[in-house]
Each structure stands twice: as C-alpha cells, then as structure tokens.
Amino acid sequence: MQRVCHRDPMLKKRDDFEDILEERRNSSDLRYALRCYTPVLYKEVTPCDSSMLKGMVLQSDQLHFVINQVSKETGRAADDLKDEASAILDEMAQCLQLSTVRFFAFVLSKVFKTLFRSIRVNEEGIQRLQQAIHEHPVVLLPSHRSYMDFLLMSYLLYTYDLALPVIAAGMDFMGMKFVGEMLRMSGAFFIRRSFGGDKVYWAVFSEYVRTMLKTGFAPVEFFLEGTRSRTSKSLTPKLGLLNIVMDPFLKGEVFDMNLVPVSISYERILEESLYARELLGVPKPKESTSGLFKARKVLSEDYGSIHVYFGQPVSIRSLAQGKVNRCQFNLEPRHIPRRSSEEIQSFVNDSAYRLVRAQEENMVLKPWVLLASLLLQNHHHQDHQRVAGAQRGRITLEDLTAQALWLRDLSREYGAFLHWPDHTPPSEVVSSSLSLHQGLVRICEGRVQLAVEQAEAEAGGIKEPQISVTPEEALLSQAVVILSCVSYRNQALHVFLRPALLASAIHTASSNCKQEVFNSFSFLRNMFSNEFILCPGDTVQDFEEACYLLMKTGALQVTQQEVVVTTSGQRTVAFLTNMLDPFLQGYQVVCRFLCEEASDNLTEKQFVPAVRKFIITLLLAGRLRYTEVLSSDLQKNALAALLRLGAVQKVKGVEQGTLKVNKVMVNSLEDTLGGKLPTQKAVAARL
Amino acid sequence: MASNSSGSSSDRQRIAQQRLRIIAGHLQRPEDGDSAVLSAECKGQVSKTDEEKTVPKRRQEIMKWNGWGYSDTKFLFNKKGQAEFTGKRYRLSGMIIPGLKDWMEGTFGANLQHKSPATPVLTSSAVQPPTINEAFVEEVKSTGIPFSHDAEDRVFRAHGHCLHEVFALREGKIGRVPDMVIWPNCHNDVVKIVELACKHNVCLMPFGGGTSVSSALECPPEETRSIVSLDTSQMNRILWIDEKNLTAHVEAGIVGQDLERLLNESGYCTGHEPDSMEFSSLGGWVATRASGMKKNIYGNIEDLVIHIKMVTPQGVIEKSCQGPRMSTGPDIHHFILGSEGTLGVVTEVTMKIRPMPEYQKYGSVVFPNFEQGVACLREVAKQRCAPASIRLMDNEQFKFGHALKPQVSSIFTSFLDGLKKLYITKFKGFDQDRLCVATLLFEGNREKVLQHEKQVYDIAAKFGGLAAGEDNGQRGYMLTFVIAYLRDLGMDYYVIGESFETSVPWDRVLDICRNVKARITRECKDRGVQFPPLSTCRVTQTYDAGACVYFYFAFNYRGLSEPVHVYEQVEHAAREEILANGGSLSHHHGVGKLRKEWMRDTVSSVGMGMLKSVKDYVDPQNIFGNRNLL
C-alpha cells in the first residue's frame, strides 16, 4: 500500500471523475439492466453458490469446536445447537441473484436520475479495484452517510462490470418485510446489532464472512463506521468485522487481502433534517417499508451530485509488515477461537483508523461546505456581540464570497479535496451553492444568514401566528437548521482538525513554550479522540503535521522552544480556534452538568435527556453560545471520553449502567478545557 | 537401483544367492588380515584399495571445483541447441532432452544467446596464503597423518553448495579458506588431531561430503587462528556387521553410495537415502539430523543410529552399551545429532541395517489439483500406510519433470504418451495447468508390495487420483539426483536458484505452499527481477502429524546488478514466510550459519542457553569454531 504521506498535502495526487448518469440519460435503462454481465473474479476463486457456502460454514472446524464447547458448558445437545446455527445462518445469509440486481439497476437508474444531477466516479479507482479483485480477496470499505450508500455501491459495481459485493447490513433492515428480502437477494447479509456473549452466533457469523472471503466468493463490503454518521463527521471505527476479515490473513489462510476504502460524498444528504431531528432527540423512525414510501417526497427535490472515490487498495500484508508477528498462531489449532493478543488488537485498531482517514481524505468537498463553516462562525460571532435584531448573523454576499475565496485557498493548502469550479466567477459559485441549500440559508437584500428565523416561524405555524411558541420549541427548530449546517461544516473538519487542535492548544496554553503547547495539544487530542478520527499513538506525528501546515501558510513560527502566531496568521488561527470552539464549549458544559446537576443515580440511559435539558436552559438563558451543543452525538462522545479517562465510571447501582462521577477530576478537566488550569495539572488529576 | 524381477521362482533363486553371498562374506572376512583387528587399528595407507571408494583425498580429480558432482557429468546445449546430459553415470547420461530448451526459455525467459560462463580454472593467486601454526604442523607431521596446504585442496573444503558459495566460485572469487586440510584414517587419528588442536589452539572444521546448503562450511571471516579442515573422507570402512542384531559399525567418513554398495554386497542396506547420498557422509548425516527418502520404512538418521562415537576437546563421548532404548536421562545422542560440527568430530557409528528388499516398485498418481493431492497424502499418513517414499509435486514441478523427459526411442512410445495425456486431460477433464503428480516407491516382500500398492491406489482414487505408471515415478526419483546438475546449467544462462525445506503440520501444508510461493513471486517483483521466477514446491515426506515440504526457487537475473544479494533477500523473505505460517526452520538441511538468526525464536532463549552451556563445557576454547547453529 502507499503509506499516506502527510508531509505536503498539496502534492496529493487524485484521479479525475466521470459522470455515470450521463450515459443513463442517453440510453435505455432497460437495456442497461439486461446487459451482459461478466465480471473479473478472484484468480483463485473456489466456484460455489450461496447454498454451498452455507454448507461450508456449517461443516467448518471452528463452528464444530464452538458447538461442542457450548454444548459442554450448557448441557444442550450438540444437534440442537447445530440446528440453531443453521437457523442463524438462514437468517443471516445473503442469496445474491443477478436478476434482483438487474431489477435494482433499472429502478435505481430512474431514481438516481431524478434525485441527482450527476454521480461521479473515479474510473482509475475502478481499474485498480478490478485488478485488486483479480489478485486477492477484496474488502470494500465505503464511508457511511446515507441509506443510499450500499445500493449505490452495488449499482456502481454492476455498472462497471465488477464482481458484486456481499454487504454486511444491520438487522433493522430485515424488519422491512419485502425490502429486506430484496436486499438479501442483492447481496446483503444481516447481522444482529448486538449478540453479547452468544458464542454460536459469533462463530456462525465470523465463519460465514471468512468463508466468503477465503473462497473469493465475492468482495465483502461493510461500513467501518458501523452506522451512518448523522453528523457527517467520520465515526470512530468499529473493529468487530475488521477483526474477522483480517483473521484469514493473520493465520495464513490467504496470502493477502486488499482493503479498498471508498469515499462517498453527497452534495446534499437525503436524510439531512432527519439526522438533525434525531440528534436533537426526536427518536429515529423505525425502518419500515411504508416509511420508505413516505420518503417519496424527497424525490421531488434536487440533491446535487454524488462523488464516489475508490481509494488505493491497501494490502493487509503490507499493513501488517513489521507490526504483527504471525508466529503467535503456530502453537494452537487455528480453528479454536481465542482472544486477540494486544499486538493484534492495536494493529487492527491502528489499521482501522488509517482506513477511515483514507476515506476522509478522498471525500469531495463542495463550496457549500466552506460557506456553511463561514456562515456558522459568523452567526455565532455576531450573535455573541448582540448585534441588533435584524442585522443578527447577516453578512453581505460580497463579504461572504471574499471570505470563501480565502478559505478555499487555505483549505487547498491543507490538502482538501475541494471541488471548486475555478472557471466560474466566484460570486456565481457562491450563489448557486446557496440556492441548492435554500432550506438552510436566507438571502435578503444582498445579505446572507442562516434560516433560523424562518425556522422559528415555521415552528410557530404560519397559519396561526397568534399562538405563541414556547421558547424551547423555537430553540429546537432553530437547532434543526443549525445542526444541518453543522453537518456540512463537519465534512471539512478533517482538513482543519490538526491545525485547529494546535490553534486551540496555543490559545489555552499559558505560554508560547513549545513543550507546553504540545502538552496542551496532546491533552485536547486525547480529550477529543472519541469525537474525531485521531489515530491512537500518533500524537507527535499529528503535532508535527499541524505545525508544518500552519508554518507553511505563514500563520506560525516554530522554533526549538517556542510556537508563535504571526500577525498575518491571526485570521487563520482565529478561524481554526472558532471551528473547534463549539466542541470545547460542549465538553465543558457536559462536565459542568456532571458536576453540578447530575443526580447520584443517573444512568447512562438518562444521561442524554438530562444533559439536553440542562443545555436548553443554558441556551435560553443566553449563557451558552453554541446551539450545536444540543447534538446528542457530541454529548455521547464527551461522556465516552470521560469514561475512557476514568473521570466517570459505569457501576452497577440501583440500575444497570449507573454513572459514578469523580467530581474533582471532571471539574479539573473542565477547567483545563477552558484554559483555566495548565495541562500538567490535568494530567496529574488524572493520575 | 535394484529392480523387480518377475516370477516367484527367480525371486527364490535370487534370495538363495544372496544368502550364499552373505555366508561367503562371513567366511572370507577373517582371511582379510586388515580387518581382523579393525576396530582398534588404523588401516595402512598402502593397503587401501582406492578404486572401491568414491572419494579420493584429492576430490578435484573426479569432482567439479565450482559446481555440483562429477567432473564428467553435466548438462549442456549441443551444437544443435538441444540439451544433453554428458557422462555415463546416470540413467539420463548420454541422452538428449528435447524439451529442456523450450522449458528454460518459457519458464525463465532464458536465451541460449545470453551466456554467463564460469571462470574455467581456479587461479591459485586468488587464494590467500595459509596462516600456518608451525608448532601444530610439526606435531602433526610426527604423527604421520596426511595433510596439505595446497590451494585447491583448501578451496574445495571452504564451501558447501549454497547458491552464493557456488556463484562466488564461478566468478573466481575466493574468501577465507581453511589453512590446512588433514585426512585422518581412523578414530585414533582424530583423537590425536583434536588433542593437538587444543594444545596449539587451532580451529578445527570437520568436513564430510561437502554437500551442506546452510553455509556450514564457510570459514568465519573473523577467525584469526589457523583453520584446519578435518576431512573424514578416508575414514570410510565398514568395521563390522552384526547379523544377529542387524547392526553395522561404520566409520563416519563413508559416503552414502559406498555404504549402501558395501552393505548390499553382504545382502544388507541401511535404507537411508538422502538426496545427496552420492556424496554426503554418515558423519554429516549425524551432525545435521539428516533424513532419507525412504524414512517411512527405515526411519530418519536419529532412528537409525544405535551408537555414536564423537571426539571432543573434552575427550570421547559414547554410550556404554548398544541397548535399543535407554532411560538414562536425556539421550546424549541428541547433543551430537544436529550439532553441526560445533562440538566435535563423529568418528564411528553403529547403525541399524536391514536385509535388502526383495522387491521394489515405482508408481505414480496424477491428481486434478494440488489440494486433492495433499488430501490424499494426509489420508495415507493417517492410515499409516505410506510407501517407502511418497512425494507430491505441484503443477510447475510436474511440467518441469516433463521437460526433462529424454528423447523417446520409438514412435510408439510417443504415441502412447500422447494417448495418456489425451486421456487425462480430455477424458478425465484434468486441467493441464492445475494437475499434479505423486511419485511412489514401494519396497519389501513382493506380495505385500502389491497389496500395499493397491491400498495406496485405492486411497488415491478417493481423491480423484489416477494411476500414471511406473515410468513417471521412476523418472521422478531419478530427477532428484540430476537436478543439482541442472542448477549449473541454469547458471551458465543467467538463471540462479536453490531449494529449501521445512516441516509443517498437516493442516497448514496447503497454506504454507501457497503463501511461500506467492511471497517468492512478490519479493522477486518488488526487487526488480525482470522475469517471473520459478517458484514451486513438493511434499516430500509424510509424518503422523505433518509433512516435509521442499521449495524450489529460481529466476533469470539478467538486468540485475547484484543477483546473489537479491536472491538472498528473497530466500530470507521466504524463510520468514515459512516461519509465519507455522513451518519449522529446517527439516533436514540444518541451520549452519545461514539460518542462525532464527535459532533463538525457534528454540527459545532457555533452549539457546542449554545448547550454549553444552558447547561451553565441551569446547571452552572453541576449537570447533565453525560457528554454526548458535
């Protein structure tokens, strides 16, 4: 694999895109759906069909071992357990059928053409993928922002005559009667979201995935992030499936495997406001067929374009080179499941982070992402200064365009994969971006602002303006707009993350001393490692990268001892600090809540509603600037960080999962985040 | 090799004759004045009958100084561009091998126009003058044990047959070589030499047949003392045969072919037939834990030895009796077996012998693919019915074997061959690029052999195997002896290669074969080898719990500036791959200096400590300073 080099992101070479919808608009969808399909297969493929696969799994040594073990432990008859295993497999297994795929190819062609202006794919990536599929078993790792993702993936692979993948899907899809079966026939296999200590389930599941890989049956596709990211930030990777797919390589059952990160970027996400509501506590609608049809409304809107970037295939063998001693599997039969060694755990974890970063890096950013970042900062900044009502959060189109150009150049310096149409006048780029997201922005007399007031009005009901809305309701409807914007800003976060952490570190550190700044950086990085994709153990590397980027743009001077912001760099550093500020504030608020408000027997379940209530109060009282802190994602991440740091513990209280808060420690973490305590003290507090 | 005779009456006759011979041998022995008091005395140099023995003191008289085997035997391309095998020693000798050229060109991209000839003669000036320990030499002179400072003699004992060693010789590059060669004639000579070496602090390096492929014979460049190569080749007598217990007491310098021939004359054999048996010595087998092709019947060297005598700086180590098994603490033989010349010189060995087999039969089975073949071998091992030898070659080796078919004598044979091929590929639907072949050798009582044969073929049939005739089998085994000559031919045309081996549990055989072959291919590509390498393997031994796998690896090095370095890197990577896939560091080649770096991981630090402390006790001065193993 090519080790991603972070030294100079400007030099990153990326492929060009081709629009696949163009051909769809000019030729018959039916003929397309029925065309000859002869994909390149793995060169050492063991020819088999879905039912043979099942047989191989049920006869595997691993499953036999686990069944006998469970039988001994529980006293249940082995035959009984075998039947159970067989039933699990029936519930799980895909039964990929070309006819179903052809049906989807037809329907999706119609749908995609209605929804999207274009679907752009890097064809060089497709060629690399074809080669990769031929050479070794392949694991496809797309980013996950929408339900659309896996249908889109299969659609693309069909379009390019590539082997259709089998896809790990959450069990919740199975609830959608007819659709579930359709998905199964297009290659989805279903996994329960949690199966705790069910050894038989785990054995069947892992063996099933491994068998499909080893035989070269089909590329295996799953989402490293585990679930759709509601915030458009990449989620910290889930390791279960990655562990399973790496196993055959580590145990020498295949020579190598190719992991292919795929970055799918949506100009406008279908689930945009749905996600925002969900983050604000309106529960997620259960997946149901009728619900899907209700979503028909979305068909009438313009969702811009999709960019799909098939990344460089990553060879597991090269990933493991020098990191894993495979001899550790020599002394036990390989079919006996055993706990991964620490070496392997950290290898898998590290690899997962690298892969998610590879996804992030090839996400295409649209100009709107930069506009959303600017508009949000502007909104909060002016809000904070209590500008008179009508002027609140407004910025002239000219100013916005100028700022956007500045940010465009900055983000390019930082290596962003920005699709800014350079041959179009900037003002046009800005206005067309704004018009695609007219639900979120309002342009009035040449001034732009977030459409929060509009939202307030809608919440009140336009027909009955006299019925006053409770302040809370108004706040929540504003928050929907803000969180939607935030989700676009978040798309660019990975570009600015490291410099932003450094900028905040400089801001919170009590001096310019490099070591102190580093300590502060390291503290923030550690604090936010549930929030952002930060490879564990890469602190020094990240710090150096951040310094390099800020120095390159002239915003920073770094000497042996000192880190100093230049005069010309003030603007950049301010922008970066502002970008991270909502998170800093949010984490502090969560800490304050835990110290001041949390009852002794607060459970994990009650945490989000309680903290939300606390935050609403603060927001309404004007004591908190950022509405986005209402995002349950942020709140959960903050709690996870505190749990990880040991400032909060989960104990068995009256109820399962009662939170025990170490108030001294939480308090000192809050102070450190706010820059009131030097980093060293916080470290000491942790010890 | 002795072959089957047809009809039971002639069998009986043969056995009777054999008995007669044995008895005659018995009667004659006391008349042979020399051997009456053999075990105690050295033979006189004059009475030695050189024509009976293969290895003279001046090995260069019959063997190549910079390649494998006999000087008169080699592969070459004749004027017509056809491959030919010269000499008279082997079945293939004097024959034309029509397929070899195409195979070499097709497999390696080699070309007859591109030659890489070897330096024809050894120039003595390339050899460093010897470092002589005068006092030691003086005392040796007084013992009358023959020795030499001749450059050729010294160079001949400075190497084994690793690729880098032979490659350097072909280029005329000579590194550190022994300063002196000494030829003891018996155990007592060795005792004297070792005593003198200790007295004068001289480094001793035992030399047997010189067939090492582990850099074991390389002189440590950092050694400043005088290095004396102790050539055991003249200690080559069978001292006695005990027919009651079926054992023979033999001097350790005897080479395999002499040992078998001499025992055969008395109607016996050891059945120990490593691939190198023409040149490798009994002492070398003991010192490296050798394995023979027919170990399924006769066992490996550790199963064959009853008693070993080794001369060490601390004195002679041996057991007091010849009991077949003892419970007397750790078996001291196991300090000696595999000690690779680091502890002392093995001088005499009592070995098990067996009556010569009445009947031998070759055979072969074609499988649709390697997986089926391995499954069959595993089943054969499970049922413990392995023939004397059973080997499974992969597809590449099968094709290689085919390329080495000599020109057929009649149109009829080639017509039959065509038919066979048609039957296997068209009628049975075997894929020519996937099928593989197992070669078999059965030995023993005729009736039992036939019965055994049926059993094995029945098992093979269950795995889709088709009997493919005796010829294929026999040719497979013959290739074992000529393949080493073939490397020299390759080196004449920019092709370098080598073999290496491992042992591995059954469930990992397929994985290790695939992964190591793939690793070789990938490493070659990564290191700029311009042509796809030959990367092939065979399963050569079966055990209850696993198998021995043998890899061949060769490539065309045109366009590479440092081919040997590339070769070594790839071999190193291949060994890492073997270890990562649960294979052993070595099955029978030994560790030498080539694989030392992995010893600690292989035997654990405590294990290393144990071995070291034995070395420290036995040889505190590091007289046996070849620095192998540890």
Side-chain angles (χ1 to χ4, degrees), chain B residues 226-417:
Chain B
S226 182
I227 299 179
V228 175
S229 177
L230 192 154
D231 184 331
T232 59
S233 63
Q234 305 311 304
M235 299 168 39
N236 54 14
R237 294 165 299 173
I238 295 177
L239 297 178
W240 46 256
I241 293 174
D242 177 347
E243 283 169 300
K244 292 210 175 63
N245 295 308
L246 284 179
T247 54
H249 191 63
V250 189
E251 286 183 314
I254 195 165
V255 292
Q257 57 169 320
D258 288 351
L259 177 61
E260 285 311 287
R261 198 183 60 242
L262 292 173
L263 285 173
N264 286 176
E265 282 170 12
S266 315
Y268 294 104
C269 66
T270 61
H272 185 68
E273 295 184 10
D275 290 359
S276 60
M277 69 175 289
E278 291 170 282
F279 305 107
S280 59
S281 69
L282 170 55
W285 299 338
V286 170
T288 56
R289 299 181 62 90
S291 170
M293 171 181 110
K294 299 195 288 194
K295 72 94 196 154
N296 292 336
I297 294 182
Y298 300 96
N300 287 318
I301 194 72
E302 67 273 20
D303 312 308
L304 285 165
V305 294
I306 294 293
H307 183 271
I308 305 173
K309 206 188 261 186
M310 180 166 78
V311 181
T312 78
Q314 287 284 14
V316 176
I317 176 174
E318 63 180 321
K319 290 184 185 173
S320 68
C321 67
Q322 306 208 38
R325 182 182 187 276
M326 290 154 79
S327 172
T328 50
D331 190 339
I332 56 157
H333 280 174
H334 286 288
F335 291 122
I336 301 170
L337 285 156
S339 59
E340 302 195 359
T342 58
L343 300 177
V345 191
V346 177
T347 55
E348 289 172 14
V349 176
T350 308
M351 261 185 117
K352 294 185 202 168
I353 56 170
R354 300 288 304 162
M356 281 170 70
E358 178 187 312
Y359 187 69
Q360 268 195 332
K361 193 171 182 193
Y362 289 97
S364 65
V365 181
V366 179
F367 292 97
N369 55 48
F370 193 64
E371 289 77 7
Q372 295 279 73
V374 170
C376 172
L377 261 63
R378 204 281 160 266
E379 184 61 27
V380 166
K382 195 186 262 174
Q383 296 191 22
R384 290 195 170 170
C385 65
S389 169
I390 178 165
R391 286 177 172 179
L392 179 74
M393 303 191 244
D394 69 0
N395 184 261
E396 289 84 358
Q397 251 178 70
F398 165 75
K399 287 178 175 163
F400 173 43
H402 247 260
L404 283 173
K405 251 187 174 173
Q407 200 158 36
V408 285
S409 40
S410 74
I411 302 171
F412 182 66
T413 331
S414 82
F415 173 71
L416 272 185
D417 277 353

Side-chain angles (χ1 to χ4, degrees), chain A residues 252-253 256 317 329 334, chain B residues 507-508 511 514-515 522 577:
Chain A
E253 293 167 331
D256 199 354
R317 182 170 273 272
F329 298 102
R334 290 172 295 175
Chain B
D507 70 318
R508 296 173 194 255
D511 290 331
R514 180 193 51 241
N515 292 350
R522 181 181 279 195
E577 192 62 33

Side-chain angles (χ1 to χ4, degrees), chain A residues 173-186 188 190 289:
Chain A
F173 279 110
M174 277 270 288
M176 303 156 83
K177 298 154 237 164
F178 173 68
V179 175
E181 285 315 302
M182 285 293 282
L183 293 179
R184 196 194 285 280
M185 286 189 282
S186 61
F190 297 99
T289 311

Side-chain angles (χ1 to χ4, degrees), chain A residues 453-476:
Chain A
E453 276 148 31
Q454 205 172 328
E456 270 174 57
E458 273 173 23
I462 301 155
K463 284 172 195 160
E464 301 160 276
Q466 68 274 26
I467 295 176
S468 62
V469 194
T470 65
E472 194 181 322
E473 281 168 343
L475 179 66
L476 282 175

